[in-house]
Amino acid sequence: MRLNTSRISPEKIESKEYAYPSFNDGKPFSEKKTGRLPAMGWNSWNAFGSGNTEALTKAMADKILELGLDKLGYEYLVLDDGCYKQERVDGKLSNEEVKFPSGFKALADYIHGKGLKFGMYNDIGTNLCAGAQVGTCGHEETDAKSYVEWGIDFLKVDNCYYLWDNATFSNGENARFSFAPDIASIKVKGDDFEIVKEAASGKITGQGPWFDGKYVTNIGTFDGTNTGTTPVGERSGELELDIKIPKAGEYSLFVEYRSGKRNGCGEWLQIALGDKEHENRIYDELVTSSTDDKDSILEVKCFLKEGNNIIRLMNHRRQENTLNAYATMFYALQNAAPRNDIQLSICEWGKTQPQNWGYKIGNSWRILNDITFCVGSDRDFGRGEWDNPGTQSIVSQYNKAVIMDRFAGLEKGWNDPDMMVIGMNDVDETMCRTHMSMWCMMNSPLMLGLDLRRVKKDDWIYNIIANENLISLNQDALGVQSRRIYSSILENEAPDLTYITNNDRVDILAKPLSNGDIALAFYNLSREDKPESYQISIEEIVKMIGEEMVNKVDWLRTEKFVAMDLFNDEKTIIDEKIVRVDGIKGCDNVTLRLCIA
């Protein structure tokens, strides 16, 4: 593995481990440590934005101990954007001297001295999101050595200013690298054979591409940064054509195309022979730019077998390039300290569908853009939202993460719907209780995002973030994300796979636990009270999560069980095989732990 990425051109994909067909093999890179439960801790961004300081970070560390949150599992303190100098010093990262006068090693020592762990932030691009020109791109080896010298335990890596995709703050024309040209036709020509196939005669696979009357366009990977598109299913699209060849031999493949530098039409083309599992890539680079009024022709030599040949035209570089960039940092950390235990938090906001590939090197991967754009400061607590239709709300993040359970697990990593907004302004106690339950049921990283100086022992904020019953679900040794098994506005659609943005509903989630118990949560996503009764049978629960349970048969046989409310510890003995909740207030939840009596 190379130690640094290039700022000149996208890396050549030299290993099949980095190529799109490998994403479904379920195999993390051999050096990755698996078996980790979701990280718990505090991140500076929601509380202070890029205005965080050494003094504030120390105050948060002190507050974690004062509140006893460390004993509940909150162990990482993570510096987000705004902590470095604006430019490198002698090629290295350096602390911003006004805000972090003692340097990062001294701060790490302070945090470690409290029995906590220290995390930092960077970016796979040229700059950080707040603008500092110190992104890791091209500097991974040097930066990894610095991080190891400083003693970090956690690294969050963002995706701004990335050169090989039109990521946030990057040149929009970088879409040229992440989309194929529009394809009009192909021609295969041999010594005594020639066949032309229009793009319209091919098969479009995956989601994204379409035929516009002459061209198949939008060949690439669906951008998952925002709300409105499902994470489930084939998120990368291709054009596939079948060619019948009279005899095996070398042929010329001519591709007629129209290129561009915009979303949907780019200049990077991949051509492969054979199906995804057995492909032979024969082309993987930029094509010559075409003009608006004239198509271009690409000629590629290839060996074709007698009979049917599958020719696939595609661009999976949005995912492959991004995996390569994060993997370079991952391996740089491995090389700097081969036995290190640094957690890698992938923060590319779901843009490249990281649920497909993040498990290979990451411990978690962000699924959407930020949960709040109204961050706090030393004098302001910032703002969270319940149901903004953009990404900046609790429910928007939940709506996507709730159907992503099959992408997560102990041998993979965790879907990350961002740092929590519990304790920030504009989200009340009821919303925050539900927020905490959601993140715990979904095995999301529990990264607090509030100014902890706002919290007092046994106030309502403390009672939510310190709820041991809920935390035990998130940190359960079985490591299974809950599955949505019912939604009140779905009829024939599968509740565990259907992406829903209409929040006028009640969802039911079930989560198997390591001791054989079942966690069950009822969520009212609406701001309006729902007075109706909602119920689910044990048989339905087992049907939906049985393959993940340790004692499926016992639950099918039981006639009596106990339901404990995880907010008030009240226990109810149920002697029918149905769990029923009579009415749920707006934005509220009922979260239970079921055990066989």
Side-chain angles (χ1 to χ4, degrees), residues 537-588:
S537 70
I538 295 299
E539 286 80 4
E540 290 173 287
I541 296 171
V542 172
K543 178 182 177 181
M544 293 295 289
I545 66 169
E547 75 274 14
E548 304 284 0
M549 297 174 67
V550 299
N551 58 345
K552 171 182 174 179
V553 173
D554 293 339
W555 275 99
L556 289 174
R557 290 174 176 170
T558 189
E559 297 297 331
K560 182 185 292 187
F561 58 93
V562 178
M564 183 176 78
D565 188 306
L566 298 190
F567 285 98
N568 58 27
D569 292 340
E570 290 183 359
K571 294 181 179 180
T572 303
I573 296 177
I574 300 175
D575 56 9
E576 58 178 337
K577 303 185 76 169
I578 291 174
V579 184
R580 180 183 295 106
V581 170
D582 294 322
I584 310 176
K585 291 187 178 298
C587 310
D588 208 349

Short mmCIF file of all heavy atoms in Angstrom, two decimals, residues 537-588:
data_model
loop_
_atom_site.label_atom_id
_atom_site.label_comp_id
_atom_site.label_asym_id
_atom_site.label_seq_id
_atom_site.Cartn_x
_atom_site.Cartn_y
_atom_site.Cartn_z
N SER A 537 -46.73 -8.56 17.74
CA SER A 537 -46.72 -9.88 18.39
C SER A 537 -45.30 -10.41 18.47
O SER A 537 -44.41 -10.00 17.72
CB SER A 537 -47.58 -10.87 17.59
OG SER A 537 -46.97 -11.18 16.35
N ILE A 538 -45.10 -11.33 19.40
CA ILE A 538 -43.79 -11.99 19.53
C ILE A 538 -43.44 -12.72 18.23
O ILE A 538 -42.29 -12.71 17.78
CB ILE A 538 -43.80 -12.97 20.71
CG1 ILE A 538 -44.00 -12.21 22.03
CG2 ILE A 538 -42.52 -13.79 20.73
CD1 ILE A 538 -42.90 -11.20 22.34
N GLU A 539 -44.45 -13.33 17.60
CA GLU A 539 -44.19 -14.04 16.35
C GLU A 539 -43.67 -13.08 15.27
O GLU A 539 -42.75 -13.42 14.52
CB GLU A 539 -45.46 -14.74 15.86
CG GLU A 539 -45.84 -15.97 16.65
CD GLU A 539 -46.55 -15.66 17.97
OE1 GLU A 539 -46.81 -14.45 18.22
OE2 GLU A 539 -46.80 -16.60 18.74
N GLU A 540 -44.26 -11.89 15.21
CA GLU A 540 -43.80 -10.91 14.22
C GLU A 540 -42.39 -10.44 14.52
O GLU A 540 -41.57 -10.25 13.61
CB GLU A 540 -44.76 -9.71 14.19
CG GLU A 540 -46.13 -10.03 13.60
CD GLU A 540 -47.08 -8.85 13.76
OE1 GLU A 540 -47.55 -8.60 14.89
OE2 GLU A 540 -47.35 -8.19 12.74
N ILE A 541 -42.10 -10.24 15.80
CA ILE A 541 -40.75 -9.82 16.19
C ILE A 541 -39.73 -10.88 15.77
O ILE A 541 -38.71 -10.58 15.15
CB ILE A 541 -40.67 -9.56 17.70
CG1 ILE A 541 -41.56 -8.38 18.09
CG2 ILE A 541 -39.23 -9.32 18.13
CD1 ILE A 541 -41.71 -8.18 19.59
N VAL A 542 -40.02 -12.12 16.13
CA VAL A 542 -39.09 -13.21 15.82
C VAL A 542 -38.95 -13.38 14.30
O VAL A 542 -37.86 -13.66 13.79
CB VAL A 542 -39.54 -14.52 16.49
CG1 VAL A 542 -38.69 -15.69 16.01
CG2 VAL A 542 -39.47 -14.38 18.01
N LYS A 543 -40.02 -13.22 13.59
CA LYS A 543 -39.96 -13.33 12.12
C LYS A 543 -38.98 -12.33 11.53
O LYS A 543 -38.25 -12.64 10.58
CB LYS A 543 -41.36 -13.13 11.53
CG LYS A 543 -41.39 -13.18 10.01
CD LYS A 543 -42.80 -12.92 9.49
CE LYS A 543 -42.83 -12.89 7.97
NZ LYS A 543 -44.20 -12.60 7.44
N MET A 544 -38.94 -11.13 12.09
CA MET A 544 -38.12 -10.07 11.53
C MET A 544 -36.67 -10.11 12.00
O MET A 544 -35.76 -9.73 11.26
CB MET A 544 -38.73 -8.70 11.87
CG MET A 544 -40.07 -8.44 11.19
SD MET A 544 -39.95 -8.35 9.39
CE MET A 544 -39.10 -6.80 9.16
N ILE A 545 -36.41 -10.54 13.24
CA ILE A 545 -35.03 -10.49 13.76
C ILE A 545 -34.52 -11.85 14.20
O ILE A 545 -33.44 -11.96 14.77
CB ILE A 545 -34.90 -9.49 14.93
CG1 ILE A 545 -35.71 -9.96 16.14
CG2 ILE A 545 -35.31 -8.08 14.49
CD1 ILE A 545 -35.41 -9.17 17.42
N GLY A 546 -35.29 -12.90 13.91
CA GLY A 546 -34.94 -14.23 14.43
C GLY A 546 -33.56 -14.71 14.06
O GLY A 546 -32.89 -15.38 14.87
N GLU A 547 -33.10 -14.39 12.84
CA GLU A 547 -31.78 -14.90 12.43
C GLU A 547 -30.64 -14.30 13.24
O GLU A 547 -29.52 -14.82 13.25
CB GLU A 547 -31.56 -14.63 10.94
CG GLU A 547 -31.23 -13.19 10.56
CD GLU A 547 -32.46 -12.34 10.35
OE1 GLU A 547 -33.57 -12.76 10.75
OE2 GLU A 547 -32.32 -11.24 9.78
N GLU A 548 -30.91 -13.18 13.94
CA GLU A 548 -29.89 -12.53 14.76
C GLU A 548 -30.01 -12.90 16.24
O GLU A 548 -29.12 -12.58 17.03
CB GLU A 548 -30.00 -11.00 14.63
CG GLU A 548 -29.93 -10.48 13.21
CD GLU A 548 -28.52 -10.49 12.65
OE1 GLU A 548 -27.60 -10.91 13.36
OE2 GLU A 548 -28.35 -10.08 11.48
N MET A 549 -31.07 -13.58 16.61
CA MET A 549 -31.31 -13.87 18.03
C MET A 549 -30.51 -15.07 18.49
O MET A 549 -30.21 -15.98 17.72
CB MET A 549 -32.81 -14.13 18.25
CG MET A 549 -33.70 -12.93 17.95
SD MET A 549 -35.47 -13.34 18.06
CE MET A 549 -35.65 -13.66 19.82
N VAL A 550 -30.19 -15.10 19.79
CA VAL A 550 -29.46 -16.23 20.35
C VAL A 550 -30.41 -17.31 20.87
O VAL A 550 -29.98 -18.42 21.19
CB VAL A 550 -28.52 -15.77 21.50
CG1 VAL A 550 -27.50 -14.80 20.98
CG2 VAL A 550 -29.31 -15.15 22.65
N ASN A 551 -31.70 -16.98 20.98
CA ASN A 551 -32.67 -17.93 21.57
C ASN A 551 -34.03 -17.81 20.91
O ASN A 551 -35.08 -17.74 21.58
CB ASN A 551 -32.80 -17.69 23.08
CG ASN A 551 -33.25 -16.26 23.38
OD1 ASN A 551 -33.20 -15.38 22.52
ND2 ASN A 551 -33.68 -16.03 24.62
N LYS A 552 -34.04 -17.85 19.62
CA LYS A 552 -35.27 -17.71 18.84
C LYS A 552 -36.35 -18.71 19.29
O LYS A 552 -37.51 -18.35 19.48
CB LYS A 552 -34.93 -17.89 17.37
CG LYS A 552 -36.11 -18.00 16.44
CD LYS A 552 -35.62 -18.22 15.00
CE LYS A 552 -36.77 -18.47 14.05
NZ LYS A 552 -36.29 -18.67 12.66
N VAL A 553 -35.97 -19.95 19.46
CA VAL A 553 -36.94 -20.99 19.81
C VAL A 553 -37.59 -20.72 21.16
O VAL A 553 -38.80 -20.91 21.35
CB VAL A 553 -36.26 -22.38 19.81
CG1 VAL A 553 -37.22 -23.45 20.32
CG2 VAL A 553 -35.77 -22.73 18.41
N ASP A 554 -36.80 -20.25 22.13
CA ASP A 554 -37.34 -19.96 23.46
C ASP A 554 -38.44 -18.90 23.39
O ASP A 554 -39.47 -19.00 24.07
CB ASP A 554 -36.23 -19.49 24.39
CG ASP A 554 -35.22 -20.57 24.69
OD1 ASP A 554 -35.57 -21.75 24.53
OD2 ASP A 554 -34.09 -20.25 25.06
N TRP A 555 -38.24 -17.89 22.55
CA TRP A 555 -39.23 -16.83 22.44
C TRP A 555 -40.50 -17.32 21.74
O TRP A 555 -41.61 -16.90 22.08
CB TRP A 555 -38.65 -15.62 21.71
CG TRP A 555 -37.92 -14.72 22.65
CD1 TRP A 555 -36.58 -14.66 22.86
CD2 TRP A 555 -38.51 -13.77 23.54
NE1 TRP A 555 -36.28 -13.74 23.83
CE2 TRP A 555 -37.45 -13.17 24.26
CE3 TRP A 555 -39.81 -13.38 23.81
CZ2 TRP A 555 -37.67 -12.20 25.24
CZ3 TRP A 555 -40.04 -12.40 24.78
CH2 TRP A 555 -38.97 -11.82 25.48
N LEU A 556 -40.36 -18.23 20.81
CA LEU A 556 -41.55 -18.76 20.14
C LEU A 556 -42.37 -19.64 21.09
O LEU A 556 -43.58 -19.76 20.96
CB LEU A 556 -41.14 -19.56 18.91
CG LEU A 556 -40.60 -18.72 17.74
CD1 LEU A 556 -40.08 -19.62 16.63
CD2 LEU A 556 -41.69 -17.78 17.20
N ARG A 557 -41.70 -20.22 22.06
CA ARG A 557 -42.38 -21.12 23.00
C ARG A 557 -42.97 -20.40 24.20
O ARG A 557 -43.87 -20.91 24.87
CB ARG A 557 -41.40 -22.19 23.50
CG ARG A 557 -41.01 -23.21 22.45
CD ARG A 557 -39.93 -24.13 23.00
NE ARG A 557 -39.57 -25.19 22.06
CZ ARG A 557 -38.53 -26.00 22.21
NH1 ARG A 557 -37.74 -25.86 23.29
NH2 ARG A 557 -38.27 -26.93 21.31
N THR A 558 -42.43 -19.23 24.53
CA THR A 558 -42.82 -18.58 25.79
C THR A 558 -44.28 -18.14 25.77
O THR A 558 -44.84 -17.76 24.74
CB THR A 558 -41.92 -17.36 26.07
OG1 THR A 558 -42.19 -16.90 27.39
CG2 THR A 558 -42.21 -16.23 25.10
N GLU A 559 -44.90 -18.22 26.94
CA GLU A 559 -46.28 -17.76 27.12
C GLU A 559 -46.35 -16.54 28.03
O GLU A 559 -47.40 -15.91 28.16
CB GLU A 559 -47.14 -18.89 27.72
CG GLU A 559 -47.26 -20.11 26.84
CD GLU A 559 -47.96 -19.82 25.52
OE1 GLU A 559 -48.80 -18.90 25.49
OE2 GLU A 559 -47.67 -20.51 24.52
N LYS A 560 -45.22 -16.20 28.67
CA LYS A 560 -45.21 -15.08 29.60
C LYS A 560 -43.84 -14.42 29.56
O LYS A 560 -42.81 -15.10 29.51
CB LYS A 560 -45.52 -15.57 31.02
CG LYS A 560 -45.58 -14.46 32.05
CD LYS A 560 -45.77 -15.03 33.45
CE LYS A 560 -47.14 -15.68 33.60
NZ LYS A 560 -47.38 -16.08 35.02
N PHE A 561 -43.85 -13.09 29.56
CA PHE A 561 -42.57 -12.37 29.60
C PHE A 561 -42.75 -11.06 30.35
O PHE A 561 -43.88 -10.65 30.67
CB PHE A 561 -42.03 -12.14 28.19
CG PHE A 561 -42.95 -11.38 27.27
CD1 PHE A 561 -42.87 -10.00 27.14
CD2 PHE A 561 -43.91 -12.05 26.52
CE1 PHE A 561 -43.71 -9.32 26.30
CE2 PHE A 561 -44.76 -11.37 25.66
CZ PHE A 561 -44.67 -9.99 25.56
N VAL A 562 -41.62 -10.43 30.66
CA VAL A 562 -41.60 -9.19 31.42
C VAL A 562 -41.12 -8.08 30.51
O VAL A 562 -40.13 -8.23 29.79
CB VAL A 562 -40.69 -9.29 32.65
CG1 VAL A 562 -40.65 -7.96 33.40
CG2 VAL A 562 -41.15 -10.42 33.56
N ALA A 563 -41.81 -6.94 30.54
CA ALA A 563 -41.42 -5.76 29.79
C ALA A 563 -41.01 -4.66 30.78
O ALA A 563 -41.82 -4.27 31.63
CB ALA A 563 -42.56 -5.27 28.90
N MET A 564 -39.75 -4.20 30.67
CA MET A 564 -39.29 -3.12 31.54
C MET A 564 -39.14 -1.84 30.73
O MET A 564 -38.48 -1.83 29.69
CB MET A 564 -37.95 -3.47 32.19
CG MET A 564 -37.48 -2.39 33.17
SD MET A 564 -35.95 -2.80 34.05
CE MET A 564 -34.72 -2.46 32.79
N ASP A 565 -39.75 -0.77 31.20
CA ASP A 565 -39.62 0.55 30.57
C ASP A 565 -38.23 1.09 30.90
O ASP A 565 -37.87 1.22 32.08
CB ASP A 565 -40.70 1.49 31.11
CG ASP A 565 -40.74 2.82 30.37
OD1 ASP A 565 -39.69 3.48 30.27
OD2 ASP A 565 -41.83 3.20 29.88
N LEU A 566 -37.46 1.42 29.91
CA LEU A 566 -36.06 1.78 30.13
C LEU A 566 -35.86 3.22 30.58
O LEU A 566 -34.74 3.65 30.84
CB LEU A 566 -35.24 1.51 28.86
CG LEU A 566 -35.20 0.05 28.42
CD1 LEU A 566 -34.18 -0.17 27.32
CD2 LEU A 566 -34.90 -0.88 29.60
N PHE A 567 -36.95 3.97 30.71
CA PHE A 567 -36.85 5.32 31.25
C PHE A 567 -37.27 5.41 32.73
O PHE A 567 -36.79 6.26 33.46
CB PHE A 567 -37.68 6.31 30.42
CG PHE A 567 -37.03 6.65 29.11
CD1 PHE A 567 -37.42 6.01 27.94
CD2 PHE A 567 -36.02 7.60 29.05
CE1 PHE A 567 -36.83 6.33 26.73
CE2 PHE A 567 -35.41 7.91 27.84
CZ PHE A 567 -35.81 7.28 26.68
N ASN A 568 -38.15 4.52 33.16
CA ASN A 568 -38.57 4.61 34.56
C ASN A 568 -38.42 3.30 35.33
O ASN A 568 -38.79 3.23 36.51
CB ASN A 568 -40.03 5.09 34.65
CG ASN A 568 -41.00 4.17 33.90
OD1 ASN A 568 -40.75 2.98 33.74
ND2 ASN A 568 -42.11 4.74 33.43
N ASP A 569 -37.89 2.28 34.68
CA ASP A 569 -37.62 0.97 35.30
C ASP A 569 -38.88 0.21 35.70
O ASP A 569 -38.79 -0.82 36.37
CB ASP A 569 -36.71 1.10 36.53
CG ASP A 569 -35.30 1.53 36.18
OD1 ASP A 569 -34.91 1.36 35.00
OD2 ASP A 569 -34.59 2.05 37.05
N GLU A 570 -40.05 0.69 35.31
CA GLU A 570 -41.28 -0.03 35.65
C GLU A 570 -41.36 -1.34 34.87
O GLU A 570 -41.09 -1.37 33.67
CB GLU A 570 -42.50 0.84 35.34
CG GLU A 570 -42.66 2.02 36.26
CD GLU A 570 -43.92 2.80 35.97
OE1 GLU A 570 -44.67 2.42 35.03
OE2 GLU A 570 -44.17 3.81 36.67
N LYS A 571 -41.76 -2.41 35.57
CA LYS A 571 -41.86 -3.72 34.94
C LYS A 571 -43.31 -4.16 34.86
O LYS A 571 -44.09 -3.97 35.80
CB LYS A 571 -41.04 -4.75 35.72
CG LYS A 571 -39.54 -4.49 35.69
CD LYS A 571 -38.78 -5.56 36.45
CE LYS A 571 -37.28 -5.30 36.39
NZ LYS A 571 -36.52 -6.34 37.14
N THR A 572 -43.65 -4.76 33.73
CA THR A 572 -45.00 -5.26 33.51
C THR A 572 -44.92 -6.71 33.06
O THR A 572 -44.15 -7.04 32.14
CB THR A 572 -45.74 -4.44 32.44
OG1 THR A 572 -45.77 -3.07 32.84
CG2 THR A 572 -47.15 -4.95 32.23
N ILE A 573 -45.67 -7.60 33.71
CA ILE A 573 -45.72 -9.00 33.28
C ILE A 573 -46.80 -9.13 32.22
O ILE A 573 -47.94 -8.69 32.40
CB ILE A 573 -46.03 -9.92 34.47
CG1 ILE A 573 -44.88 -9.85 35.50
CG2 ILE A 573 -46.23 -11.37 33.99
CD1 ILE A 573 -45.13 -10.67 36.74
N ILE A 574 -46.43 -9.70 31.08
CA ILE A 574 -47.35 -9.85 29.96
C ILE A 574 -47.58 -11.34 29.71
O ILE A 574 -46.64 -12.10 29.48
CB ILE A 574 -46.78 -9.18 28.69
CG1 ILE A 574 -46.56 -7.68 28.96
CG2 ILE A 574 -47.71 -9.38 27.50
CD1 ILE A 574 -45.89 -6.94 27.83
N ASP A 575 -48.83 -11.77 29.81
CA ASP A 575 -49.14 -13.19 29.64
C ASP A 575 -49.86 -13.48 28.34
O ASP A 575 -50.52 -14.50 28.18
CB ASP A 575 -49.93 -13.73 30.83
CG ASP A 575 -51.21 -12.95 31.08
OD1 ASP A 575 -51.55 -12.09 30.23
OD2 ASP A 575 -51.86 -13.19 32.11
N GLU A 576 -49.80 -12.55 27.40
CA GLU A 576 -50.20 -12.82 26.02
C GLU A 576 -49.01 -12.48 25.13
O GLU A 576 -48.12 -11.74 25.54
CB GLU A 576 -51.42 -11.98 25.64
CG GLU A 576 -51.21 -10.48 25.79
CD GLU A 576 -52.41 -9.68 25.36
OE1 GLU A 576 -53.22 -10.21 24.57
OE2 GLU A 576 -52.54 -8.53 25.80
N LYS A 577 -48.99 -13.03 23.95
CA LYS A 577 -47.79 -12.89 23.12
C LYS A 577 -47.85 -11.64 22.25
O LYS A 577 -47.52 -11.65 21.07
CB LYS A 577 -47.60 -14.14 22.28
CG LYS A 577 -47.52 -15.41 23.12
CD LYS A 577 -47.22 -16.64 22.31
CE LYS A 577 -45.76 -16.70 21.91
NZ LYS A 577 -45.36 -18.00 21.35
N ILE A 578 -48.27 -10.54 22.89
CA ILE A 578 -48.41 -9.27 22.18
C ILE A 578 -47.89 -8.15 23.08
O ILE A 578 -48.15 -8.15 24.29
CB ILE A 578 -49.88 -8.99 21.80
CG1 ILE A 578 -50.35 -9.96 20.72
CG2 ILE A 578 -50.07 -7.55 21.31
CD1 ILE A 578 -51.83 -9.85 20.39
N VAL A 579 -47.16 -7.20 22.48
CA VAL A 579 -46.74 -5.99 23.19
C VAL A 579 -47.57 -4.84 22.63
O VAL A 579 -47.59 -4.62 21.42
CB VAL A 579 -45.24 -5.70 23.00
CG1 VAL A 579 -44.83 -4.49 23.83
CG2 VAL A 579 -44.41 -6.92 23.38
N ARG A 580 -48.24 -4.13 23.54
CA ARG A 580 -49.16 -3.07 23.10
C ARG A 580 -48.83 -1.77 23.83
O ARG A 580 -48.55 -1.77 25.02
CB ARG A 580 -50.60 -3.47 23.40
CG ARG A 580 -51.64 -2.43 22.99
CD ARG A 580 -53.05 -2.86 23.38
NE ARG A 580 -53.47 -4.06 22.67
CZ ARG A 580 -53.57 -5.28 23.20
NH1 ARG A 580 -53.25 -5.46 24.47
NH2 ARG A 580 -53.97 -6.31 22.49
N VAL A 581 -48.86 -0.68 23.06
CA VAL A 581 -48.71 0.66 23.64
C VAL A 581 -49.94 1.46 23.27
O VAL A 581 -50.30 1.56 22.08
CB VAL A 581 -47.44 1.35 23.11
CG1 VAL A 581 -47.41 2.82 23.52
CG2 VAL A 581 -46.19 0.64 23.61
N ASP A 582 -50.59 2.04 24.27
CA ASP A 582 -51.82 2.80 24.04
C ASP A 582 -51.52 4.29 24.00
O ASP A 582 -51.50 4.97 25.04
CB ASP A 582 -52.83 2.50 25.15
CG ASP A 582 -53.29 1.05 25.13
OD1 ASP A 582 -53.46 0.52 24.02
OD2 ASP A 582 -53.47 0.47 26.21
N GLY A 583 -51.27 4.78 22.81
CA GLY A 583 -51.04 6.21 22.61
C GLY A 583 -49.60 6.62 22.88
O GLY A 583 -48.97 6.13 23.83
N ILE A 584 -49.08 7.51 22.03
CA ILE A 584 -47.72 8.04 22.20
C ILE A 584 -47.79 9.54 21.90
O ILE A 584 -48.31 9.96 20.86
CB ILE A 584 -46.71 7.38 21.24
CG1 ILE A 584 -46.80 5.85 21.31
CG2 ILE A 584 -45.29 7.83 21.57
CD1 ILE A 584 -45.89 5.15 20.33
N LYS A 585 -47.26 10.33 22.80
CA LYS A 585 -47.27 11.78 22.61
C LYS A 585 -46.34 12.18 21.46
O LYS A 585 -45.45 11.41 21.06
CB LYS A 585 -46.86 12.49 23.90
CG LYS A 585 -47.91 12.35 25.01
CD LYS A 585 -47.55 13.20 26.21
CE LYS A 585 -48.63 13.10 27.27
NZ LYS A 585 -49.93 13.61 26.80
N GLY A 586 -46.53 13.38 20.96
CA GLY A 586 -45.71 13.86 19.86
C GLY A 586 -44.22 13.84 20.19
O GLY A 586 -43.82 14.22 21.30
N CYS A 587 -43.42 13.36 19.27
CA CYS A 587 -41.94 13.29 19.39
C CYS A 587 -41.48 12.34 20.50
O CYS A 587 -40.30 12.31 20.83
CB CYS A 587 -41.33 14.67 19.65
SG CYS A 587 -41.85 15.96 18.52
N ASP A 588 -42.40 11.56 21.04
CA ASP A 588 -42.06 10.74 22.20
C ASP A 588 -41.80 9.30 21.80
O ASP A 588 -41.95 8.91 20.62
CB ASP A 588 -43.19 10.80 23.23
CG ASP A 588 -42.71 10.58 24.65
OD1 ASP A 588 -41.54 10.18 24.84
OD2 ASP A 588 -43.51 10.80 25.57
#
